Amino acid sequence: MERQKIQVTINEDVYHEEAEPRMLLSDFIRETCGLTGTHVGCEHGVCGACTVMVNGTAVRSCLMFAVQVDGAELTTVEGLKQGEELTDLQENFIKHHGLQCGFCTAGILMSTKEFLEQNEQPSTEDIKDMLSGHLCRCTGYDGIIKAIEQTAKDRG
């Protein structure tokens, strides 16, 4: 299959790469660009582990082809922190034990980033509804919910 040229900005770095038309965005991010924070779980868009931001919108990178993001701006979990500093959301995940194995964490952080930008003071039910698109087998979600609530409270 003929490879196509792609120019994409990921975490403020510009990448000039090539990809087969059928290459998934998740694979492109991990294998071609070397950003392994984006995890691949189900490859069906169900688990949420592969969530990244494309032009400011949270998307499942396993449901997109790399060629679809030509010219786009992406943010992966590696792009959340500013310099060496973690964001308040990341700090609250640590403080409230919102992660254990960490496999789902990157996707949840990316979805929560967009969610809190759109819902500055969400209810617990709003948070649970947003999290319903993510599978976490370790935490029981309690610490995750507390971390998101604390972040919203601190920002409010």
Side-chain angles (χ1 to χ4, degrees), residues 6 8 10 22-33 38 40 50 52-54 59-69 74:
I6 300 170
V8 63
I10 306 176
R22 66 182 182 191
M23 181 179 230
L24 296 176
L25 177 56
S26 54
D27 294 334
F28 178 79
I29 291 168
R30 289 180 59 79
E31 297 170 16
T32 304
C33 300
T38 301
V40 179
C50 69
V52 299
M53 304 289 283
V54 176
V59 300
R60 310 299 176 141
S61 62
C62 74
L63 296 179
M64 293 185 73
F65 294 113
V67 295
Q68 289 179 277
V69 298
L74 280 67

Side-chain angles (χ1 to χ4, degrees), residues 74-134:
L74 280 67
T75 305
T76 67
V77 71
E78 291 94 341
L80 286 183
K81 66 181 183 172
Q82 302 298 316
E84 294 302 313
E85 299 293 317
L86 297 177
T87 65
D88 55 346
L89 179 62
Q90 291 170 305
E91 291 286 355
N92 280 323
F93 262 67
I94 295 166
K95 179 180 176 183
H96 293 280
H97 308 289
L99 56 114
Q100 286 182 22
C101 84
F103 191 82
C104 67
T105 306
I108 292 174
L109 288 170
M110 299 312 295
S111 289
T112 302
K113 175 182 172 19
E114 178 188 50
F115 175 72
L116 290 177
E117 288 170 357
Q118 298 173 358
N119 304 284
E120 293 179 5
Q121 293 301 312
S123 68
T124 301
E125 288 305 312
D126 292 337
I127 294 168
K128 287 179 180 180
D129 186 55
M130 182 273 297
L131 289 173
S132 68
H134 291 274

